[in-house]
Amino acid sequence: MNVPVFQMRNVSIDIGSHKTSARRIAYGVDIELHRGRTLALVGESGCGKSVTALSAMNLLSSPLRISEGSILLDMEGETRDIAQLDPSGAQMRQIRGRRIGMIFQDPMTALDPVYTVGNQIAESLSHHLGLSHKAAWAKAVDLLRLVGIPAPEQRARSYPFELSGGMRQRVMIAIAIACSPSVLIADEPTTALDVTVQAQILELLRELGEQLGMATLLITHDLGVVAENADEVIVMYRGHVVEKAGIDALFDNPAHPYTQGLMASLPPASGERVELTPIPGQVPSIMEVIVGCPFTDRCPHAMQKCSELMPALTAISPEQAVACWLYPAVVEAQA
Ligand code: SF4
């Protein structure tokens, strides 16, 4: 595999900064993204997916903060640790949009209602690439064509409210890829869309990632989306990476009981009507202090050791790593 274009190394995120009241909400997360490939970050609400995605853009604001680790971005041969940059400073603003593009969940709130979509794409091009208004507008029309919007010359003059949800999400994708970023972060990009449009948008993202050589981080709670669109998967639970695997390894042999629970709660691909098996209970609150494995209360295999010691993410095969005491190779996590 080629050299990663983006790496989060041992990144921990805290809420609050006071020694006694601060709570950790992400623990030593490691993520590597490679050009032309998609890594999916999966888990229920409250598992730490979105906060991890925001930290990848250095977009956390008080009381959230990156308390440990580095976020390394390859910028044409030079590697920068963007966790060291001021989140609201000029350097970080230049990196967002230019080097890292982001697609948010709801295009209606992410787009500005008082500007045409053509202007919103052109603005990013003028700001980051210094293009004249005319050149930026022409490129905006090309981008709308690239993301599959019919009659792009006319659509560029439309305001967001004049477009359907699917069209608006295509505009968001056009803005995100406008400056040819090397990294694309898509946070639940199809949540607000009809099922029929979801598949088209995800296919478009995958095609663009491969065509433009972007590394994509896809945040989702939907394992069906993962199966169709990712090359590798990271499963998060209550701020911990509990499983990391290639897509085939994960679906052929889910190793962590939480991943197995997520799989069991999916409807069968055959469409057969069967009773689904939910995972009992809920993800523990971020304010709860947890000792040992955070999945203990919901796990059908929990044993004494689980509530005492936290297992570290440990390789169990070349394609798969897991943090669970059911596997003899697994060692205790460093505090
Ligand atoms: Fe279940 Fe224990 Fe494994 Fe946690 S460590 S997932 S509680 S068996």
Side-chain angles (χ1 to χ4, degrees):
M1 205 183 289
N2 51 9
V3 178
V5 67
F6 176 91
Q7 295 176 75
M8 291 177 73
R9 279 201 197 149
N10 197 29
V11 170
S12 294
I13 300 167
D14 287 353
I15 183 162
S17 53
H18 195 273
K19 263 188 196 161
T20 50
S21 59
R23 289 283 180 269
R24 185 142 292 188
I25 54 174
Y27 298 77
V29 175
D30 287 317
I31 288 177
E32 274 190 7
L33 301 178
H34 296 262
R35 283 188 179 276
R37 292 177 68 82
T38 298
L39 183 139
L41 198 54
V42 189
E44 293 163 279
S45 299
C47 282
K49 310 182 300 290
S50 289
V51 86
T52 303
L54 288 175
S55 73
M57 298 262 297
N58 197 3
L59 265 176
L60 297 179
S61 55
S62 179
L64 293 167
R65 66 189 180 93
I66 297 170
S67 48
E68 274 174 27
S70 47
I71 301 176
L72 305 177
L73 177 67
D74 179 63
M75 292 166 60
E76 285 147 16
E78 187 200 346
T79 302
R80 298 291 303 268
D81 182 359
I82 63 172
Q84 299 302 322
L85 300 179
D86 175 1
S88 51
Q91 284 180 307
M92 208 51 241
R93 285 202 306 275
Q94 194 58 30
I95 286 171
R96 289 187 206 110
R98 174 72 186 88
R99 307 279 178 180
I100 308 177
M102 186 149 186
I103 302 167
F104 296 94
Q105 290 184 15
D106 184 356
M108 201 53 206
T109 50
L111 291 170
D112 192 326
V114 299
Y115 289 99
T116 64
V117 296
N119 264 325
Q120 293 185 57
I121 304 170
E123 187 199 359
S124 174
L125 290 161
S126 299
H127 174 73
H128 288 294
L129 305 182
L131 298 187
S132 66
H133 179 73
K134 194 176 168 195
W137 184 268
K139 179 114 200 272
V141 171
D142 286 346
L143 282 160
L144 289 175
R145 188 175 295 112
L146 181 68
V147 298
I149 291 197
E153 290 85 357
Q154 284 93 56
R155 286 297 181 200
R157 294 189 171 78
S158 301
Y159 290 88
F161 76 89
E162 296 177 289
L163 304 179
S164 67
M167 290 265 213
R168 287 196 291 264
Q169 197 55 300
R170 285 175 192 266
V171 171
M172 283 300 301
I173 294 172
I175 293 172
I177 65 168
C179 302
S180 307
S182 47
V183 177
L184 185 64
I185 299 175
D187 186 5
E188 305 269 10
T190 57
T191 302
L193 303 177
D194 291 344
V195 186
T196 47
V197 184
Q198 284 185 7
Q200 295 169 16
I201 294 292
L202 289 164
E203 195 182 328
L204 174 66
L205 277 177
R206 186 155 181 84
E207 278 172 14
L208 289 172
E210 287 169 6
Q211 189 183 331
L212 306 176
M214 290 180 299
T216 304
L217 178 63
L218 176 65
I219 321 292
T220 180
H221 61 272
D222 186 337
L223 277 175
V225 164
V226 173
E228 295 289 323
N229 298 284
D231 300 295
E232 295 150 281
V233 188
I234 283 179
V235 182
M236 284 191 83
Y237 187 76
R238 194 11 180 97
H240 294 270
V241 173
V242 295
E243 185 160 1
K244 195 172 193 175
I247 190 74
D248 293 338
L250 190 95
F251 280 87
D252 290 350
N253 179 31
H256 196 279
Y258 178 56
T259 317
Q260 293 164 359
L262 291 176
M263 298 274 188
S265 61
L266 276 180
S270 61
E272 191 190 345
R273 289 170 73 94
V274 295
E275 198 165 325
L276 303 180
T277 313
I279 303 173
Q282 287 179 341
V283 181
S285 150
I286 53 168
M287 299 322 281
E288 216 175 297
V289 178
I290 295 171
V291 180
C293 169
F295 194 55
T296 305
D297 288 349
R298 306 173 77 187
C299 179
H301 309 290
M303 44 197 153
Q304 181 71 28
K305 187 179 189 182
C306 304
S307 57
E308 295 168 355
L309 302 172
M310 177 64 204
L313 188 72
T314 310
I316 54 167
S317 79
E319 276 277 277
Q320 199 159 16
V322 67
C324 172
W325 290 124
L326 291 174
Y327 299 84
V330 171
V331 295
E332 188 185 350
Q334 302 291 317

